Amino acid sequence: MSVKRIGVLTSGGDAPGMNPCVRAVVRTALYHGLECYGIRRGWNGLISGDIVRLDEKSVSHIISRGGTILYTARSQEFMTEEGQRKAVSTCKFLGLDSIIAIGGDGTFRGAQALSKYGINVIGIPGTIDNDISCTNYCIGFDTAANTAIECIDKLRDTMQSHERCSVVEVMGRNAGYLAMYVGLAVGATAVLVPEEPIDFERDVIEKIRQARFNGFTHYMIVVAEGAGSAADIAAKIKDAIDLDPRVTVLGHIQRGGSPTGRDRVNATKMGYLAVELLLQGKTNRIVCTHDGNYTDVDISEGLAMKKGIQDMEVNVLAAMTGL
């Protein structure tokens, strides 16, 4: 397999660390004498030919920037055979023999579809949800977690001053990894995630009561968006024990901000490995991490994997919340 001209794109929800990853792809490609092109606005950009040449100057000073300089979007057209054929035509017209796609499972399904037409593809996991089953870590998770932790720490100050209950909704789509991590980090009274069955009396009300028996007069409930609405949870608390919780939905602030050192380094290593895999003749792969090691897995195999909340996290949470 001969690799001469690589296209790189970011797709789906943006995640802090995408820019360092793009930078690593470009610099590694140039190091090996390859051309590298940025595809703007995800798969939509590949369909429409929204492409720009990338060099050392175009990726300088982006390692500390949040978001993605290539912009991102979700493409309904690319989900169709006609849209995919248009994207393939763009690749052939411009001589792009390889595509590196940074994003989540939807991004990888797009790459998988493109590979069926003979285009070399490598996926890199970039999502704050950390819900890609074939990898222990996704670019953006650490920054998003630290953003949420900082916000909740500040929120706790005012909740404590007024002796109030706070219900905070954390992003994560249908996954609770971010909420569980953040809940453990802030010492939440209770954490609700979609992966674990919820007994409201046991998992929320009784934990608030237990905290009160232990002398606390303020309570922090962290809810993954996939486990329910923070407003609904707050209303149920009020009905059950006549507390009047304050609701905070952190929302898209978790996607922004300068990436942490961990996200910058992981993104750089993953971007480097993606180019190296292409040079090794590999295609249709996802870059991933396992126990601190960087490796790769077939896209079909990776998408078929399942991922759950670790038992240890559930056990630690139970011990930390006193029940």
Side-chain angles (χ1 to χ4, degrees):
M1 181 175 90
S2 177
V3 179
K4 295 181 180 180
R5 191 169 292 160
I6 297 174
V8 58
L9 61 84
T10 53
S11 178
D14 63 306
M18 283 183 164
N19 280 331
C21 192
V22 170
R23 173 182 178 273
V25 168
V26 173
R27 287 182 173 268
T28 305
L30 295 176
Y31 175 76
H32 287 291
L34 308 175
E35 295 179 27
C36 195
Y37 291 82
I39 302 163
R40 295 186 290 200
R41 299 174 180 85
W43 298 118
N44 280 332
L46 192 58
I47 291 172
S48 64
D50 188 2
I51 294 173
V52 60
R53 185 165 187 163
L54 298 176
D55 55 21
E56 291 94 338
K57 184 177 180 181
S58 58
V59 296
S60 64
H61 308 301
I62 68 170
I63 196 168
S64 60
R65 287 175 58 181
T68 165
I69 63 166
L70 297 179
Y71 309 107
T72 184
R74 291 183 169 88
S75 177
Q76 293 296 321
E77 185 179 4
F78 190 75
M79 295 173 65
T80 67
E81 185 176 347
E82 181 182 359
Q84 292 162 14
R85 290 189 180 278
K86 287 181 181 179
V88 172
S89 294
T90 300
C91 289
K92 290 181 177 180
F93 177 71
L94 297 176
L96 296 177
D97 49 62
S98 306
I99 300 294
I100 294 176
I102 309 165
D105 52 5
T107 302
F108 300 153
R109 289 191 181 92
Q112 184 183 40
L114 198 63
S115 71
K116 296 176 182 177
Y117 296 92
I119 307 298
N120 304 316
V121 296
I122 302 290
I124 301 177
T127 167
I128 68 168
D129 305 336
N130 206 34
D131 61 346
I132 305 302
S133 299
C134 61
T135 185
N136 295 144
Y137 189 80
C138 298
I139 296 168
F141 176 78
D142 191 62
T143 307
N146 278 281
T147 297
I149 290 165
E150 181 182 0
C151 291
I152 292 173
D153 283 347
K154 292 179 177 179
L155 184 62
R156 185 189 293 279
D157 291 342
T158 184
M159 291 296 104
Q160 186 171 10
S161 297
H162 291 273
E163 300 183 320
R164 282 178 174 155
C165 175
S166 182
V167 182
V168 181
E169 186 176 309
V170 175
M171 291 182 77
R173 209 170 41 167
N174 295 318
Y177 311 111
L178 184 61
M180 179 66 79
Y181 187 93
V182 169
L184 288 171
V186 301
T189 308
V191 182
L192 304 181
V193 296
E195 292 84 355
E196 294 293 315
I198 299 172
D199 181 320
F200 198 78
E201 177 68 23
R202 177 197 66 197
D203 297 330
V204 179
I205 301 304
E206 194 57 36
K207 288 188 177 182
I208 292 174
R209 289 194 182 113
Q210 198 69 30
R212 183 65 186 90
F213 290 147
N214 289 331
F216 294 96
T217 56
H218 65 284
Y219 319 98
M220 182 65 65
I221 313 300
V222 174
V223 183
E225 62 179 343
S229 160
D232 291 343
I233 299 298
K236 291 178 71 173
I237 292 173
K238 182 174 176 58
D239 288 343
I241 51 178
D242 205 29
L243 274 179
D244 188 17
R246 294 296 185 268
V247 173
T248 302
V249 179
L250 295 181
H252 286 76
I253 190 173
Q254 294 159 97
R255 283 189 180 173
S258 179
T260 61
R262 185 183 182 193
D263 271 327
R264 296 184 198 189
V265 172
N266 277 327
T268 298
K269 290 180 177 179
M270 287 180 164
Y272 165 83
L273 181 56
V275 177
E276 293 294 325
L277 289 173
L278 289 171
L279 291 171
Q280 293 167 20
K282 292 187 177 183
T283 183
N284 205 38
R285 312 293 290 181
I286 299 175
V287 175
C288 48
T289 65
H290 286 289
D291 300 323
N293 298 314
Y294 293 81
T295 183
D296 59 281
V297 66
D298 180 82
I299 289 182
S300 298
E301 183 181 342
L303 289 173
M305 292 180 180
K306 303 297 181 184
K307 186 177 183 179
I309 297 290
Q310 293 181 356
D311 290 341
M312 183 178 182
E313 290 187 329
V314 176
N315 295 336
V316 169
L317 178 64
M320 295 303 103
T321 53
L323 290 175

